[in-house]
């Protein structure tokens, strides 16, 4: 794998608070790399360091061969960055926004105009050049922001929660653009808290309290952290002590409420009748597929248990 991003023991502290704690990983050229975690887990701080916007407290990273610690300005010129906050000028028209950002990257004249035409076609916004940006719906504004981030043909594009607050149809359309860029060789580093979006990524890193305890493909993460079977248990008249009854079934490893029903993890040997039987005639247990949300919960729980054990040993 030819790496576009190499991260080595990256750490960032703000006073006594450690936002990113000794993180290491690599991202290959053309890879869509997902960086997941709850709010405050360290995702945005990591991405801001990798973009050369915030210096690391310790460790380093190379982005397209440039050190973020020693050559942050070269990093900034080599990448595209789309922040989680709306990064365009709302009172400018679409074409004016793109002209401004193109000029910031040294593009001008006929070459800039030609490139704006190219990216507008890529993000399916031809004919909207003269629309005021503030008048566009959220999904279209995000596509304009993506167009601005790729104007200068960067080798790596950082997308910090690019679809936050965008409707599902617009999210799907946005991700089709991301996949197209990846197929053309652009490396995509994307942070998100939408677990379904992470399924599109070649690999996913899960951040918990500034650390990176899990990193693998979506399938690999599920095999590691959600072994066995996952079931959906539903019924119109489930007993009040359903959780206790399910937990008592031999081979059940986890029981979680899910809407009006229950999501149950079990060993492979457990069958539908084993779960539905103790709950009465209205209960139905259906085999379900593991999701990255299941993985995330398992990783968070494992990290919490590990931290609790460490505290107990430290106080012993």
């Amino acid at each position: 794998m030819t790496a576009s991003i190499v991260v080595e023991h990256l750490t960032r502290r703000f006073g006594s608070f450690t936002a990113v704690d000794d993180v290491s990983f690599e991202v290959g050229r053309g890879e869509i790399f997902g960086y997941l975690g709850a709010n405050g887990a360290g995702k945005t701080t990591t991405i801001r360091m990798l973009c050369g916007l915030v210096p690391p407290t310790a460790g380093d990273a190379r982005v397209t061969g440039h050190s973020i610690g020693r050559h942050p300005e070269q990093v900034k010129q080599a990448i595209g960055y789309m922040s989680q906050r709306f990064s365009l000028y709302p009172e400018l028209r679409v074409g004016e926004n793109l002209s401004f950002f193109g000029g910031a990257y040294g593009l001008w004249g006929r070459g800039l105009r030609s490139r704006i035409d190219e990216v507008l076609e890529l993000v399916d916004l031809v004919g909207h050049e003269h629309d005021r940006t503030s008048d566009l719906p959220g999904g279209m504004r995000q596509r304009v922001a993506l167009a601005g981030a790729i104007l200068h043909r960067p080798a790596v594009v950082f997308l910090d929660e690019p679809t936050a607050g965008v409707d599902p149809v617009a999210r799907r359309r946005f991700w089709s653009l991301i996949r197209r860029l990846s197929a053309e060789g652009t490396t995509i580093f994307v942070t998100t808290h939408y677990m379904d979006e992470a399924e599109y990524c070649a690999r996913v890193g899960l951040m918990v309290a500034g650390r990176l305890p899990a990193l693998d493909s979506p399938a690999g993460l599920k095999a590691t952290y959600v072994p066995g079977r996952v079931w959906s248990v539903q019924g119109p008249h489930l007993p009040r002590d359903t959780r206790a009854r399910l937990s008592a079934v031999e081979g059940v490893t986890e029981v979680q409420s899910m809407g009006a029903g229950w999501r149950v993890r079990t060993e492979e040997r457990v069958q539908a009748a084993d779960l539905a039987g103790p709950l009465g005639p209205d209960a139905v247990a259906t085999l379900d597929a593991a999701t990255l949300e299941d993985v995330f919960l398992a990783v968070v729980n494992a990290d919490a248990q590990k931290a609790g054990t460490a505290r107990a040993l430290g106080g012993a």
Side-chain angles (χ1 to χ4, degrees):
M1 176 181 73
T2 301
S4 292
I5 303 171
V6 179
V7 178
E8 298 173 327
H9 305 290
L10 197 61
T11 300
R12 174 65 199 196
R13 301 185 188 92
F14 296 95
S16 61
F17 173 68
T18 302
V20 177
D21 188 3
D22 194 23
V23 168
S24 298
F25 59 88
E26 295 186 2
V27 181
R29 180 180 181 275
E31 182 178 8
I32 301 177
F33 183 85
Y35 210 54
L36 275 64
N39 290 335
K43 305 187 305 298
T44 295
T45 300
T46 301
I47 210 172
R48 287 177 62 80
M49 283 192 287
L50 294 180
C51 289
L53 300 174
V54 175
T57 304
D60 197 10
R62 296 186 302 280
V63 179
T64 66
H66 304 298
S67 164
I68 64 170
R70 296 189 300 275
H71 307 293
E73 294 305 317
Q74 290 176 292
V75 171
K76 293 174 188 176
Q77 290 298 315
I79 66 169
Y81 174 52
M82 180 177 165
S83 71
Q84 61 180 293
R85 293 181 175 84
F86 189 47
S87 56
L88 303 172
Y89 292 95
E91 296 307 312
L92 294 182
R93 303 184 188 279
V94 169
E96 292 171 338
N97 262 299
L98 296 181
S99 293
F100 173 80
F101 285 108
Y105 282 106
L107 304 177
W108 59 283
R110 184 178 302 174
L112 174 57
R113 291 193 296 273
S114 175
R115 181 57 179 163
I116 288 175
D117 290 341
E118 288 178 10
V119 297
L120 285 173
E121 183 174 359
L122 174 65
V123 301
D124 195 21
L125 287 175
V126 173
H128 293 279
E129 303 94 308
H130 302 294
D131 292 353
R132 192 176 301 278
T133 306
S134 60
D135 295 336
L136 299 176
M140 292 180 70
R141 289 200 302 269
Q142 295 299 74
R143 281 186 277 147
V144 177
L146 178 62
I150 63 175
L151 264 174
H152 57 301
R153 296 183 176 87
V156 178
V157 176
F158 290 94
L159 307 173
D160 192 5
E161 299 195 13
T163 58
V166 176
D167 67 82
V169 174
R171 284 171 55 198
R172 190 175 300 115
R173 194 171 191 176
F174 192 90
W175 272 92
S176 71
L177 292 173
I178 293 175
R179 291 195 297 272
R180 180 173 174 181
L181 289 171
S182 171
E184 294 173 353
T186 303
T187 302
I188 307 294
F189 187 107
V190 56
T191 70
T192 180
H193 58 265
Y194 292 120
M195 297 298 164
D196 60 321
E197 288 188 349
E199 298 282 357
Y200 298 126
C201 299
R203 289 184 304 141
V204 173
L206 292 177
M207 286 286 285
V208 179
R211 297 182 300 278
L212 187 66
L215 171 60
D216 204 342
S217 66
L221 288 171
K222 293 170 189 175
T224 299
Y225 291 96
V226 195
R229 294 180 167 184
V230 178
W231 302 84
S232 173
V233 179
Q234 304 282 341
H237 303 293
L238 297 179
R240 291 187 176 182
D241 62 343
T242 291
R243 181 190 294 272
R245 296 191 189 195
L246 289 171
S247 299
V249 174
E250 188 175 353
V252 168
T253 57
E254 187 174 10
V255 180
Q256 295 176 341
S257 62
M258 183 185 67
W262 298 86
R263 191 166 179 82
V264 184
R265 287 177 51 198
T266 74
E267 298 173 1
E268 290 285 352
R269 58 194 171 96
V270 175
Q271 303 297 315
D274 299 328
L275 300 175
L279 303 180
D282 294 327
V284 176
T286 306
L287 197 60
D288 206 349
T291 66
L292 283 175
E293 185 171 346
D294 295 317
V295 172
F296 180 71
L297 291 172
V299 171
V300 169
N301 290 337
D303 189 78
Q305 292 174 2
K306 183 178 179 181
T309 299
R311 285 194 298 270
L313 290 174

